[in-house]
Amino acid sequence: MTEQGTAQGAPLAGKTAIVTGSSRGIGASTAKILAGEGAAVVINYRQKAPRANKIVAEIEAAGGRALAVGGDLTNADDVEKLAQAAIDGFGSLDILVLNASGGMESGLGEDYALRLNRDAQVAMLKAAVERMQPGSRVVFVTSHQAHFIDSVPTMDAYEPVARSKHAGELALRELLPWLEEKGITFVVVSGDMIEGTITATLLERAAPGAIESRREAAGKLYSVDEFAAEVAKMVTADVPSGHTELVGGAEHFTG
């Protein structure tokens, strides 16, 4: 194969990616896409090791490289362990996809949404950046409901999550000058409600009919795989640092 063919077939060859919250859903699909483009991928999970190991097995069966690392992103030691796993396992850390989020789960404390969606995102980015080289990229995954929460109201059941994710995005953007000094770019991918995600399932449970209502308003809701493909594109997209990629249904929010 020619060098050009190699570049076209595996644009991320020699790169290592961490995808947080990647044992299922958007994170798992994004990880598989990046692995298919040549990246070695660290699969992160909080509790479900068998599910994460299944994703690793699927990637390896397709000829890719991956490893699973358990860790609660709200735990500082786990964050460090996850970041270092990329270096120990594959020799570098070039891509960080901040996909993990939550806040609708029960029994994790009233401040869990803010700890996960803001504080943990910042901690994970800082731990990763200390191990990244110039030219690396960070991608933060959010929702239109969070990105536009100050201008467009969202469903009551989702508002605490939306506000915490918005706080996380703002906190990450405050680090843009620091990232620029290090030669690392930062991109936000914002999407509408996604069919088949745990968030959509929990929201539907809390507010029956919410997903169908949003689907009617938007005309279409992206599937997990469709949205993951858009997230993966932003890993190599030629866009300026700080860019926000709006995926699906944004007209309702932008007016």
Side-chain angles (χ1 to χ4, degrees), residues 206-231:
I211 300 303
E212 181 58 33
S213 175
R214 185 68 211 126
R215 186 187 298 111
E216 289 179 1
K220 164 190 167 64
L221 295 182
Y222 275 59
S223 70
V224 165
D225 288 344
E226 287 172 334
F227 184 65
E230 299 301 319
V231 173

Side-chain angles (χ1 to χ4, degrees), residues 7 125 179:
L125 179 140
L179 293 174

Side-chain angles (χ1 to χ4, degrees), residues 144 189-192 194 222 226-227 230-231 245-250:
H144 296 340
V189 182
S190 178
D192 209 327
I194 308 298
Y222 275 59
E226 287 172 334
F227 184 65
E230 299 301 319
V231 173
E245 185 73 7
L246 301 177
V247 180

Side-chain angles (χ1 to χ4, degrees), residues 30 53 58 61 72 95 116 158 165 167 195 202 205 215 255:
T30 300
N53 290 330
E58 290 176 10
D72 182 341
I95 300 156
L116 175 59
Y158 190 67
K165 284 186 69 68
E195 300 267 18
L202 292 173
R205 191 178 300 163
R215 186 187 298 111

